[in-house]
Amino acid sequence: MRILVVGSGGREHALCRALARDPRVDALVCAPGNAGTADIAEPRSLDVGDPDAVAVLAEQVGADLTVIGPEVPLVAGAADEVRRRGLAVFGPSAAAARLEGSKAFAKQVMRAAGVPTAAARDHTEVEPALADLDAFGPPYVVKYDGLAAGKGVTVTEDREAAVAAVRASLRGPDDRVVLEEYLDGPEVSLFAIVTESGAIMPLLPAQDHKRVGDGDTGPNTGGMGAYTPLPWASHGLSAEIVQKVIRPTVDEMARRGTPFSGLLYAGLALTGRGLRVVEFNVRFGDPETQAILALLSTPLTDVLTGRTTPRFRSGAAITVVVAAAGYPQSPRLGDPIRGLAAADALTGVDVLHAGTRRDEHGQVVSAGGRVLSVTAIGSNLESARGSAYEAVSRISLAGAHYRTDIGDPSRMRHTAGA
Ligand code: AMP
Ligand code: GLY
C-alpha cells in the first residue's frame, strides 16, 4: 500500500513509525512532516489547512490510504475532498468533525444521545454569558466554541480571569462561548477506531498531562506527556466508555445523516458521580498516540481500515515531551538539538520528533513549541519511565524544559478530589 500521512507533529511521527513497520506498507509520504518523519517517509510540502491541496497531493502520491493527523484539515473538509476523488481516507467528514470543531454542537449531540457530560450553556453575547458565569459559580469553566489549538479553555477560581476569558471568546460577530459545570476527577483519554460501517474498536486508555509544570501547575499546553495503560483503572473502563459514550455518539451521528468514521477521542473526567465527557476530538491525540502506538502489535493499516481488532503487547509505554524555551507562551525556535542518536539507541526508546527541521547544514533544530516526544516501552510503567528519562537526559537543547513526573505513581491523579 501507498500511504500519505498529513501533519507534522509527534503524533504523525508515531503514525509513520507504526506504518513503516507494517508489512503491507511499501511507500510512505508525510506532508509536510518534520526532521524525524523525513528519515522514514518522503517529505512533501503541504498547506494542511487547504482541503483541495490535501486531496491533490493524495492523487499525486497515488495514495491507497490518506491518514489525516490534525483537526484543522478535518474540520475544513479535507477527508470529504479526498473521498470525492474516489480515494480512501482515514478521518471524518467536515460534518462529523464538528464534534471537535464546535463544543456547543458536541453538547447538543451528547444531550440527544444521553451521553453523560458537564452541564453547559452557550452564548453569543457578553451580558447573558456573564450572568450565567455566576449561575455556574467557581471554579469557572469558559470555552471558546471553535478550534483554538488547545488555547480556548480557561478553568479558574478567579472571577476576573473568567470574565476576561468570556470577553476574549466573544470578539467577532460569529463567536460563541460555552460555559460549563466544573468536573472534578482524574482525566482519561480513550480513542476508538470507528469504521465506515459503524464498528467500534477502542485502543488502550491513556492519561495525558496537560499543564506545563510538575504537579499539574502552570498554564495548559497541548500535552506534556502521557502514559498507557492506566495501572489504577478498572478492567471494565474501556467497555464502559464505549457503551456510555462512543456507541451512543456514533449512533446519534448516523441518525443525523452525518455518520462518523475515523478516530473518536473521548476526553473524560472520572468524577465521584461517574464518568463525564470533557471533550471530543476527531483525531488521534498528541502525545497519547506516541505511547499507545508504541504498544500496538497489530499492523496499523489493518487497524485503520477496520480489518483487525487492535491488539497490544503487555507492559507499559510513556512519552515525555521536550518543549522549547518559552513554551507555551512564546517558544524560541532554531536551537540545535544534540544527543538524538544516543537517546534513540537505548533499548525500548523511540525519540519521536515534533517541532523539528534540518537547517542548511543538516543539523536538526527546534521548529515548534513541543520539540520531541521521547517515548519508551517497558515491562511495567516504572521501567518505561526509567528508559524515557534516561533518554531525555542524553538530549541537549538550550533552554528546553520537560515535566519530571510523567507516569510517576505518586503523582498520578486517579481519585476524584485528589
Ligand atoms: P478541552 O480542550 O475541552 O479538553 O479542555 C482542556 C482542559 O481543560 C481539559 O483537559 C481539562 O483539564 C480542563 N477542563 C475542560 N473542561 C473542564 C470542566 N468542565 N471541568 C474541569 N476541567 C475542565
Ligand atoms: N492530548 C490532547 C490532544 O490531543 O488534544
Side-chain angles (χ1 to χ4, degrees), residues 11 71 100 149-150 189 191 207-210 221-226 265 279-281 283-289 370:
R11 163 184 55 209
E71 61 276 18
E100 177 166 0
S189 305
F191 303 170
Q207 192 169 51
D208 180 12
H209 295 64
K210 287 218 168 73
T221 70
M224 292 298 289
Y265 166 144
E279 62 164 347
F280 281 130
N281 294 318
R283 35 107 195 141
F284 280 97
D286 189 337
E288 298 97 315
T289 299
R370 291 190 292 173

